[in-house]
C-alpha cells in the first residue's frame, strides 16, 4: 500500500515558491513509489476572518497547475472558524488519520504556520514528525529580485501595476477567468467592441490599459484590456473590458480567460470621444505587437491548462 507525501499550503497563484515545494514533494514520493498529495483549502483563511479575499487564480486553474508539477492528487477542504481553532498537535493527528497513518513525509515552506492562532511552526512540525513517525522537510524561500516570492507580494505587485514582477514570480502571465457579461456596450458604439469579463473574487490589477491575450476554449487571441471606470464616457463602475484585435465574435455568456502580458499606460480621461478612439487605436496597435512577440511563449505556458 502506497504511503503519502503531503505538500502543505494555500498555493494561491502557484508561484515559484509553491512550484519548488510541490516539485520537491513529488520528487520525494516518486523516488519511493509513493504518492504526492497537495493538502490545501478551498477558501483563503483571510476570507473567514475579514470577509473577503483577492484570489490569484480560480480553484480549477490552481488544481491544474498543481497537477502539472507531478502531484498525484489535490486534497481540498473548507477553512472554517472551527477548523482554525484546532491546536497544532490536534491538526497533525487529524491529518495523519485522514491518510490512514501512512504519511511518509510532510513538505512545507519556511513560513508555513498551522493550528490555532497560526501558532504551529515548521520546527514544531519536525518535532511532531519525530513523535509520530514521518519526515518533515522545510523548504528555503525562492527569491525574485532578492526578496522571497509570496502570494502577498504578487498581490502587491498587481495592485501597484508592476506586472513585470507579478508575472516573474508566477512564472506565467497573470490571468483572470470569468464569464463574459453584458454591460453598457459603449465600446461597440465607438467602434471598439469589448468583452466585459466578470472577475468574481480574483484580484483586478491596477487600473490601466494592458496588452493581453484572450483564451477562448483552447484558442488564444491578441487583445487589449482596460481596467477602470471609463471616465471619458462618465463611467462609475470598475470593470475589466477586453477588445479583441482582428477578430469579431459574440462572447456573451461564454467563459474567457484574460492573460495580462504588459502594462501599457494608466487609465485617463480624454477631452473627447474622438481623442479616446484615437488612443484606443494606438493601444491596440501596441498590444498587437506585444502579443506577436509573446504568442509562442504564452501558448507554451498554457498548454497544461
Amino acid at each position: 500500500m502506497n504511503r503519502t507525501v503531503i505538500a502543505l499550503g494555500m498555493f494561491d497563484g502557484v508561484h515559484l515558491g509553491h512550484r519548488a515545494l510541490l516539485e520537491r514533494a513529488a520528487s520525494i514520493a516518486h523516488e519511493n513509489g509513493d504518492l504526492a498529495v497537495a493538502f490545501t483549502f478551498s477558501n483563503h483563511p483571510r476570507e473567514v476572518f475579514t470577509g473577503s479575499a483577492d484570489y490569484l487564480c480560480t480553484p480549477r486553474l490552481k488544481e491544474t497547475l498543481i497537477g502539472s508539477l507531478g502531484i498525484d492528487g489535490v486534497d481540498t477542504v473548507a477553512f472554517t472558524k472551527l477548523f482554525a481553532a484546532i491546536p497544532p498537535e490536534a491538526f497533525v493527528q487529524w491529518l495523519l488519520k485522514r491518510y490512514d497513518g501512512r504519511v511518509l513525509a510532510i513538505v512545507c515552506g519556511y513560513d508555513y504556520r498551522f493550528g490555532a492562532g497560526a501558532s504551529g511552526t515548521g520546527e514544531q512540525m519536525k518535532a511532531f514528525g519525530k513523535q509520530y513517525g514521518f519526515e518533515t522537510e522545510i523548504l528555503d524561500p525562492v527569491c525574485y529580485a532578492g526578496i522571497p516570492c509570496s502570494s502577498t507580494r504578487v498581490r502587491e505587485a498587481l495592485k501597484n501595476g508592476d506586472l513585470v514582477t507579478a508575472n516573474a514570480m508566477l512564472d506565467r502571465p497573470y490571468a483572470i477567468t470569468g464569464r463574459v457579461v453584458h454591460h453598457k456596450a459603449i465600446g461597440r458604439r465607438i467602434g471598439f467592441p469589448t468583452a466585459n469579463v466578470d472577475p468574481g473574487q480574483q484580484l483586478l490589477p491596477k487600473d490601466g490599459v494592458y496588452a493581453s491575450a484572450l483564451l477562448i476554449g483552447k484558442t488564444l487571441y491578441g487583445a487589449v484590456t482596460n481596467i477602470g471606470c471609463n471616465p471619458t464616457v462618465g463611467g462609475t463602475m470598475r470593470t475589466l473590458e477586453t477588445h479583441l484585435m482582428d477578430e469579431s465574435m459574440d462572447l456573451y455568456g461564454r467563459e474567457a480567460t484574460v492573460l495580462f502580458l504588459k502594462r501599457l499606460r494608466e487609465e485617463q480621461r480624454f477631452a473627447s470621444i474622438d481623442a479616446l478612439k484615437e488612443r484606443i487605436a494606438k493601444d491596440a496597435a501596441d498590444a498587437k505587437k506585444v502579443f506577436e512577440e509573446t504568442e509562442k511563449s504564452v501558448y507554451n505556458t498554457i498548454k497544461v491548462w
Side-chain angles (χ1 to χ4, degrees):
M1 185 175 179
N2 295 107
R3 296 168 297 176
T4 303
V5 176
I6 307 171
L8 295 174
M10 184 64 213
F11 303 121
D12 186 27
V14 196
H15 57 62
L16 288 172
H18 295 149
R19 291 173 66 89
L21 191 157
L22 292 160
E23 288 173 341
R24 179 57 184 153
S27 176
I28 294 171
H30 298 160
E31 282 176 6
N32 299 280
D34 294 311
L35 298 175
V37 172
F39 178 85
T40 188
F41 297 116
S42 58
N43 56 315
H44 201 288
R46 187 182 301 109
E47 190 173 357
V48 171
F49 295 114
T50 69
S52 64
D54 293 321
Y55 290 92
L56 297 175
C57 60
T58 63
R60 186 176 65 195
L61 179 57
K62 172 179 161 178
E63 186 165 336
T64 297
L65 292 171
I66 289 173
S68 73
L69 299 170
I71 296 296
D72 300 298
V74 180
D75 186 9
T76 305
V77 301
F79 188 88
T80 64
K81 288 186 177 180
L82 187 63
F83 196 96
I86 299 174
E89 186 170 5
F91 168 72
V92 172
Q93 292 170 338
W94 177 88
L95 201 61
L96 293 174
K97 184 177 179 180
R98 189 172 181 86
Y99 297 100
D100 298 320
R102 297 188 61 79
V103 175
L104 172 65
I106 284 177
V107 183
C108 59
Y110 71 100
D111 57 350
Y112 182 73
R113 296 292 183 272
F114 63 99
S119 57
T121 66
E123 290 304 318
Q124 282 181 289
M125 186 65 80
K126 280 189 174 182
F128 289 136
K130 291 178 182 178
Q131 180 180 347
Y132 290 106
F134 61 85
E135 296 295 321
T136 303
E137 186 161 331
I138 303 171
L139 262 67
D140 292 331
V142 174
C143 295
Y144 172 74
I147 303 175
C149 295
S150 70
S151 298
T152 297
R153 192 177 171 209
V154 174
R155 291 187 192 95
E156 290 173 350
L158 291 170
K159 289 177 180 178
N160 291 330
D162 184 2
L163 193 62
V164 171
T165 294
N167 285 357
M169 287 190 289
L170 291 171
D171 196 33
R172 60 179 174 84
Y174 179 61
I176 290 177
T177 299
R179 293 285 171 188
V180 177
V181 297
H182 287 277
H183 195 46
K184 295 182 179 179
I186 293 170
R188 185 174 300 278
R189 292 202 295 272
I190 65 174
F192 294 94
T194 58
N196 186 2
V197 178
D198 180 2
Q201 292 183 288
Q202 295 158 94
L203 173 65
L204 281 177
K206 184 179 180 182
D207 288 359
V209 178
Y210 295 82
S212 59
L214 193 68
L215 181 65
I216 307 292
K218 295 294 184 181
T219 305
L220 203 62
Y221 301 93
V224 59
T225 295
N226 183 80
I227 296 175
C229 299
N230 300 301
T232 304
V233 294
T236 57
M237 182 185 297
R238 193 169 184 236
T239 58
L240 174 114
E241 295 182 276
T242 296
H243 169 66
L244 283 180
M245 298 175 293
D246 306 322
E247 296 287 343
S248 178
M249 62 183 77
D250 182 4
L251 297 175
Y252 287 121
R254 297 186 64 179
E255 183 178 87
T257 297
V258 181
L259 297 101
F260 294 84
L261 307 180
K262 183 179 180 180
R263 181 175 165 84
L264 298 178
R265 64 173 175 85
E266 297 279 348
E267 186 181 48
Q268 62 188 97
R269 183 191 298 273
F270 292 91
S272 66
I273 295 296
D274 285 341
L276 172 62
K277 290 168 64 176
E278 184 178 341
R279 186 52 193 260
I280 293 175
K282 181 182 184 306
D283 292 336
D286 292 343
K288 183 176 182 178
K289 183 180 294 185
V290 172
F291 177 72
E292 289 172 347
E293 291 171 349
T294 59
E295 182 178 7
K296 184 175 181 180
S297 64
V298 174
Y299 260 120
N300 288 336
T301 297
I302 65 172
K303 60 186 178 182
V304 299
W305 294 17

